[in-house]
């Protein structure tokens, strides 16, 4: 696949298809459309008890959309358990353009001036497509996910697409659904309005209702 642009990328997301590279050094991108799709139900998001205690302690300063490319490059960097990645330079450029258009967002967790963890994804209508996350400090990516869910609930989102179900995501309530069911949910979500409230990310109130 070559000459992919941001507009084509959004059209692909609108029908449930997304691109990946085989490695960070592979210049080629390939389309993926899983038969079973991982989704995180926003109304049934589960925060494990230990993580809830960490959230209440507010161990990181949290922001949104302040370091989008840094988050992407951190997601692409090799780290323990993740020596390889599907994020190449073309992916970084394309999603950076989506970010400039307001169709891609990042959550950042900071320890002082150091980026401790975060995630990024694509926004289209009331659907959010989680792309990747990273953590350089205990629970940083998990807290970023909790903040993301709080923002999506606040903004009226209806679908949080996780692409593939993992044991890591299952602890938060992620499930697999068949492609046909996913496409039905996707079409309904894309047709609905939503707003990503980046400035609200720093407020603990967006997740306080989820942890009690």
């Amino acid at each position: 696949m070559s000459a992919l642009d941001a507009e084509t990328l959004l059209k692909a997301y609108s029908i449930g298809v997304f691109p990946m590279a085989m490695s960070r050094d592979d210049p080629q991108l390939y389309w993926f459309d899983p038969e079973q799709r991982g989704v995180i139900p926003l109304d049934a998001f589960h925060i494990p008890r230990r993580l809830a205690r960490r959230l209440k302690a507010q161990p990181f300063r949290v922001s949104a959309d302040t370091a989008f490319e840094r988050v992407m490059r951190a997601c692409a960097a090799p780290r323990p358990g993740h020596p390889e990645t599907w994020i190449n330079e073309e992916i970084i450029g394309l999603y950076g353009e989506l970010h400039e258009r307001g169709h891609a967002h990042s959550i950042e967790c900071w320890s002082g001036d150091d980026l401790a963890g975060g995630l990024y994804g694509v926004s289209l209508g009331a659907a959010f497509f989680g792309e990747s996350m990273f953590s350089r400090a205990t629970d940083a990516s998990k807290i970023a996910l909790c903040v993301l869910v709080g923002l999506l609930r606040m903004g009226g989102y209806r679908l949080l697409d996780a692409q593939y179900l993992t044991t890591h995501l299952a602890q938060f309530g992620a499930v697999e659904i068949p492609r046909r069911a996913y496409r039905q949910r996707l079409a309904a979500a894309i047709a609905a309005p939503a707003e990503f409230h980046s400035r609200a990310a720093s407020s603990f109130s967006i997740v306080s209702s989820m942890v009690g």
Side-chain angles (χ1 to χ4, degrees):
M1 181 173 64
S2 61
L4 178 60
D5 58 30
E7 198 60 40
T8 301
L9 189 53
L10 286 177
K11 289 179 181 178
Y13 273 96
S14 73
I15 60 172
V17 181
F18 57 89
M20 298 174 71
M22 293 303 177
S23 73
R24 71 173 58 82
D25 299 320
D26 184 354
Q28 293 293 111
L29 298 179
Y30 304 89
W31 292 119
F32 290 84
D33 184 14
E35 291 186 8
Q36 295 291 320
R37 196 72 164 228
V39 298
I40 302 176
L42 292 170
D43 58 353
F45 184 71
H46 172 70
I47 300 177
R49 185 174 300 175
R50 185 195 64 80
L51 182 60
R53 292 196 295 269
R54 285 278 283 167
L55 276 166
K56 289 180 179 180
Q58 302 183 50
F60 305 107
R61 176 173 60 86
V62 182
S63 61
D65 290 340
T66 66
F68 184 84
E69 184 173 334
R70 284 183 65 183
V71 168
M72 282 203 72
R73 291 194 178 279
C75 288
R79 55 193 187 274
H82 298 274
E84 195 46 83
T85 181
W86 52 269
I87 303 170
N88 64 9
E89 285 299 319
E90 184 172 2
I91 289 282
I92 290 172
L94 284 167
Y95 287 75
E97 185 176 346
L98 289 185
H99 175 62
E100 292 175 359
R101 295 185 179 197
H103 282 293
H105 302 281
S106 61
I107 304 292
E108 305 94 25
C109 288
W110 303 90
S111 180
D113 294 330
D114 296 327
L115 188 58
L119 58 79
Y120 76 95
V122 174
S123 177
L124 190 59
F128 192 91
F129 310 85
E131 290 297 313
S132 187
M133 61 176 62
F134 79 98
S135 190
R136 294 171 177 162
T138 302
D139 295 329
S141 63
K142 295 176 182 178
I143 288 174
L145 177 60
C146 293
V147 172
L148 173 67
V149 170
L151 289 177
L152 298 183
R153 288 180 173 183
M154 177 187 297
Y157 283 79
R158 299 186 179 185
L159 175 67
L160 175 51
D161 175 9
Q163 297 179 346
Y164 297 102
L165 179 64
T166 65
T167 54
H168 175 71
L169 293 177
Q171 68 183 306
F172 297 101
V175 296
E176 277 187 335
I177 60 175
R179 180 188 291 155
R180 178 177 296 181
Y182 169 76
R183 288 179 175 171
Q184 291 173 344
R185 293 192 192 184
L186 175 62
I190 288 176
E195 184 176 356
F196 193 88
H197 297 280
S198 297
R199 294 183 179 179
S202 61
S203 173
F204 181 69
S205 64
I206 66 171
V207 293
S208 61
S209 62
M210 296 190 287
V211 298

